[in-house]
């Protein structure tokens, strides 16, 4: 599924845009960029599942466009797919502030996948719980990435 | 008569590794696969055109040897064995040469991958994803002529990998790689007789339709340990120098981002980072095959912790 946005109007606080799907060459950001003209913007990114190389380009251009706006932009619940790109590509997040990321967990006992959200303020890799209780079978679900590297974007 | 695939090679192999203990351990692992292995502490065998196949255990080299290796103009493609992430070193090594990298696990490199790589280096039988999957794995094939087919095929692969119980993050990688392979074959690979590329600068949202004789072949399958996907085009237009440039700049983190039109210039490195093993086979002017293999035997963390193998095989020109 190509990337889609749902925009939530809020009476107070930043405008909120929720992303869902794959970031590919066909993605459009115009509506979200326009939101940043009007005030602070919060992007919910937990639903981004894939990104292609052309999607990386479009995303970087999107972040550049947001960087030129007068209002702050924050990224919340950044999906593991996008965390990976933040760690690999220096300017992937532009000037936006990463407020929170999604931590992926996988249960070897039953194959269940689940997630937790980590608030980034003051967080380090030590804040990542290595195991949590599996919602499906009660066994230990392990953090499904390389913990010491997962937040390396935040120390650059 | 050619030797059987699993027979010890009469030609043997030279393993360059200055550390005798580490080298001896690795040599014994290699010997079980390729036959006699002789150890060398120096890089000299790399410059001997009469030497049998030479492999370099990169992790065992001194800093001086690594620098020397980066500068060496070796007569044959490098076969590197390494345990961990050697990103910075690979930037230099890939700059202007063909390097084949095989990841070494606890018991040496994967025997099947090693056999396949050596066989491909010694002979010119380079094509086919079957070489990397266990015997009996069913391989599905779809011919592609239009870029419009890409989205549908991504959905097919998503459904297929879901039916196999592949975790979602690994499914995402399969989708990413398949998309890159198909896009490359449909937009970048087509080349006219005057060597111009009709579609490479087109936006990837523009539809491209190939002639019947130009169709590309998407193949995918799984042997229970690895998920494999390959795309073969009938152009053979990908140049090794282009691969060196893309991987070298990617390893340096110095992405040459194309913001104007066409592809982003990130595809090859994006693919390499999304795979356990990336293989490119080129018969110049005739055929290019890209093969991607992802270890799906465990969770994403297992994939992420392992190194990345990369092979590039270019057939001698038949024109």
């Amino acid at each position: 599924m190509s990337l889609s946005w749902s925009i939530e109007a809020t009476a107070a606080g930043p405008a909120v845009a929720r992303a869902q799907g794959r970031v590919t060459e066909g993605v459009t950001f115009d509506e979200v960029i326009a939101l940043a003209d009007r005030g602070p913007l919060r992007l919910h990114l937990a639903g981004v599942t894939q990104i292609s190389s052309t999607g990386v380009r479009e995303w970087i251009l999107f972040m550049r466009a947001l960087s030129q706006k007068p209002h702050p932009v924050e990224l919340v619940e950044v999906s593991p797919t996008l965390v990976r790109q933040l760690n690999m590509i220096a300017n992937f997040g532009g000037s936006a502030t990463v407020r929170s990321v999604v931590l992926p967990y996988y249960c070897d006992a039953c194959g269940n996948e689940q997630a937790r959200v980590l608030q980034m303020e003051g967080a380090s890799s030590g804040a990542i719980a290595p195991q949590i209780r599996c919602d499906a079978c009660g066994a230990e679900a392990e953090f499904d990435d390389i913990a010491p590297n997962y937040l390396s974007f935040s120390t650059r | 008569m050619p030797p059987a695939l699993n027979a010890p090679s009469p030609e043997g192999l030279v393993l360059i590794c200055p550390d005798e203990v580490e080298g001896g351990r690795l040599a014994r692992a290699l010997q079980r696969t390729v036959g006699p292995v002789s150890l060398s502490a120096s890089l000299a065998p790399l410059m001997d055109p009469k030497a049998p196949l030479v492999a370099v255990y990169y992790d065992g080299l001194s800093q001086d040897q690594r620098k020397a290796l980066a500068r060496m103009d070796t007569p044959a493609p490098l076969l590197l064995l390494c345990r961990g992430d050697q990103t910075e070193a690979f930037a230099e090594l890939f700059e202007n040469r063909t390097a084949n990298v095989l990841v070494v696990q606890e018991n040496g490199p994967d025997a099947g991958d090693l056999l396949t790589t050596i066989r491909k280096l010694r002979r010119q039988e380079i094509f086919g994803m079957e070489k990397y999957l266990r015997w009996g794995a069913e391989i599905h094939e779809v011919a592609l002529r239009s870029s419009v087919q890409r989205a549908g095929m991504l959905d097919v692969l998503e459904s297929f990998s879901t039916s196999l119980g592949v975790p979602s993050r690994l499914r995402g990688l399969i989708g990413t790689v398949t998309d890159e392979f198909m896009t490359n074959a449909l937009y970048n690979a087509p080349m006219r007789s005057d060597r111009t590329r009709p579609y490479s600068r087109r936006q990837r949202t523009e539809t491209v339709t190939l002639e019947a004789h130009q169709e590309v072949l998407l193949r995918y399958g799984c042997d229970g340990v690895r998920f494999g996907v390959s795309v073969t085009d009938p152009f053979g237009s990908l140049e090794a120098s282009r691969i060196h440039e893309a991987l070298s700049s990617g390893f340096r983190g110095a992405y040459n981002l194309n913001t104007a039109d066409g592809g982003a210039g990130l595809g090859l490195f994006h693919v390499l980072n999304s795979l356990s093993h990336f293989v490119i086979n080129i018969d110049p002017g005739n055929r290019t095959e890209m093969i991607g293999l992802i270890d799906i035997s465990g969770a994403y963390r297992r994939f992420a912790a392992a190194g990345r193998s990369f092979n590039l095989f270019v057939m001698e020109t038949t024109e």
Side-chain angles (χ1 to χ4, degrees), chain A residues 33 48 55 78 127 138 150:
Chain A
I33 292 170
V48 178
V78 180
Y150 196 69

Side-chain angles (χ1 to χ4, degrees), chain B residues 282-304:
Chain B
I282 306 172
D283 180 2
N286 293 310
R287 189 161 40 146
T288 298
E289 178 183 44
M290 291 197 177
I291 302 172
L293 301 152
I294 297 179
D295 180 351
I296 53 121
S297 62
Y300 178 89
R301 60 182 176 273
R302 177 186 166 107
F303 161 83

Side-chain angles (χ1 to χ4, degrees), chain A residues 53 57 84 108 113 144, chain B residues 168-169 180 258 270 273 301:
Chain A
S53 61
R57 173 181 63 190
R84 193 161 173 264
D108 286 322
E113 298 177 67
D144 198 19
Chain B
S168 65
R169 295 188 70 195
E180 298 292 340
N258 173 16
H270 198 64
N273 276 309
R301 60 182 176 273

Side-chain angles (χ1 to χ4, degrees), chain A residues 47-116:
Chain A
V48 178
T49 55
Q50 280 182 42
I51 186 165
S52 67
S53 61
T54 45
V56 168
R57 173 181 63 190
E58 298 306 316
W59 185 271
I60 289 173
L61 295 175
F62 171 47
M63 285 293 134
R64 279 185 197 167
L66 292 179
S67 299
Q68 289 163 9
K69 303 295 181 185
H71 303 290
V73 177
E74 55 186 37
L75 312 182
V76 301
E77 299 186 17
V78 180
S79 73
T81 295
L82 294 181
V83 169
R84 193 161 173 264
Q85 301 303 322
L86 282 170
N87 286 327
M88 280 199 300
I89 300 177
N91 57 347
F92 189 78
S95 60
T97 303
V98 178
R99 294 284 181 214
S100 60
V101 298
V102 173
L103 305 179
Y105 288 84
Y106 182 82
C107 176
D108 286 322
C110 71
N112 182 47
E113 298 177 67
Q114 59 195 75
R116 292 285 184 273

Side-chain angles (χ1 to χ4, degrees), chain A residues 24-26 52-55 57-58, chain B residues 147-148 150 179-180 182-190 197-208 242 258 261-265:
Chain A
T24 60
E25 65 275 6
S52 67
S53 61
T54 45
R57 173 181 63 190
E58 298 306 316
Chain B
S147 56
V148 174
R150 287 180 300 162
D179 191 17
E180 298 292 340
M182 291 190 294
T183 301
N184 179 71
L186 291 163
Y187 287 87
N188 292 330
R197 296 177 190 267
Y199 311 125
S200 66
R201 297 181 72 82
R202 287 204 188 172
Q203 292 292 342
R204 276 33 178 169
T205 47
E206 287 184 49
T207 299
V208 160
R242 164 82 185 86
N258 173 16
D261 52 20

Side-chain angles (χ1 to χ4, degrees), chain B:
Chain B
M1 190 174 78
L5 181 63
N6 291 322
S9 164
E11 297 152 293
L13 180 144
V14 177
L15 174 65
I16 296 175
C17 180
D19 183 325
E20 282 187 26
V21 175
E22 185 73 14
R25 188 179 301 134
L26 187 53
R28 285 189 292 282
L30 293 172
Q31 187 177 5
R32 291 193 289 271
T33 308
V34 301
V37 176
S38 56
L39 270 177
S40 170
S42 84
L43 298 176
L46 285 169
M47 299 307 292
D48 179 2
K50 291 180 183 167
L53 189 67
V54 181
V56 180
Y57 180 52
Y58 193 81
D59 303 46
L61 299 183
S62 67
Q63 287 302 322
D64 286 346
Q65 284 179 313
R66 291 180 181 199
K67 286 178 188 167
L69 181 63
R71 291 192 300 268
M72 283 174 90
D73 185 15
T74 54
L78 280 178
L79 174 55
L80 298 178
L81 307 175
C82 63
R83 283 190 190 278
D85 180 12
Q86 300 288 355
T87 298
E88 287 179 24
F90 287 170
E92 215 165 354
L93 284 167
F94 275 94
E95 197 154 12
N96 49 21
R97 72 172 72 234
T98 296
N100 286 281
V101 180
L102 287 180
V103 171
V104 176
Q105 310 289 353
E106 193 61 32
N107 298 315
D110 179 274
D113 284 352
L114 182 63
L115 276 172
T116 299
T117 300
I118 289 174
R119 187 178 174 91
K120 289 171 72 165
L121 284 171
R122 284 181 172 157
R123 303 178 180 203
Q124 294 281 295
E125 304 165 4
I126 63 173
F127 290 94
M129 185 169 68
E130 296 85 345
K131 295 179 171 70
Y132 295 94
L133 296 177
R134 293 174 189 199
W135 185 87
E138 186 178 0
I139 295 180
H140 306 268
E141 296 187 353
V142 180
L144 304 173
R145 281 182 58 196
S146 170
S147 56
V148 174
Q149 293 174 269
R150 287 180 300 162
M153 287 316 304
L154 291 178
D155 289 340
V156 167
L157 264 78
E158 169 70 15
S159 297
F160 179 64
S161 53
T162 300
S163 73
L164 299 176
V166 178
S168 65
R169 295 188 70 195
L170 296 176
R171 294 202 306 271
L173 297 180
I174 291 168
T176 296
V177 168
T178 307
D179 191 17
E180 298 292 340
F181 282 1
M182 291 190 294
T183 301
N184 179 71
L186 291 163
Y187 287 87
N188 292 330
M191 182 180 265
R192 298 191 184 102
S193 55
D194 63 0
R195 301 192 68 75
T196 58
R197 296 177 190 267
Y199 311 125
S200 66
R201 297 181 72 82
R202 287 204 188 172
Q203 292 292 342
R204 276 33 178 169
T205 47
E206 287 184 49
T207 299
V208 160
T209 304
L210 303 179
E211 302 290 329
H213 68 280
Q214 296 175 323
E215 69 182 17
V216 302
L217 187 64
L218 167 67
R219 308 176 79 215
Y220 59 95
C222 182
D223 67 5
V225 176
R226 285 171 162 175
F227 192 101
V229 59
S230 74
V231 172
T232 305
D233 70 63
F235 302 99
S237 62
L238 184 60
E239 292 162 352
S241 59
R242 164 82 185 86
I243 298 167
H244 301 154
E245 182 188 340
L247 295 183
S248 180
S249 60
F251 280 125
R252 285 183 204 284
Y255 302 98
N256 183 21
L257 186 68
N258 173 16
T259 56
D261 52 20
L266 300 172
L268 284 173
F269 193 67
H270 198 64
V271 165
L272 181 65
N273 276 309
S274 303
L275 290 170
S276 307
H277 196 159
F278 182 19
V279 182
I280 303 176
N281 299 316
I282 306 172
D283 180 2
N286 293 310
R287 189 161 40 146
T288 298
E289 178 183 44
M290 291 197 177
I291 302 172
L293 301 152
I294 297 179
D295 180 351
I296 53 121
S297 62
Y300 178 89
R301 60 182 176 273
R302 177 186 166 107
F303 161 83
R308 308 276 174 265
S309 292
F310 172 74
N311 292 115
L312 169 63
F313 301 97
V314 183
M315 287 182 70
E316 289 167 17
T317 311
T318 54
E319 289 171 359

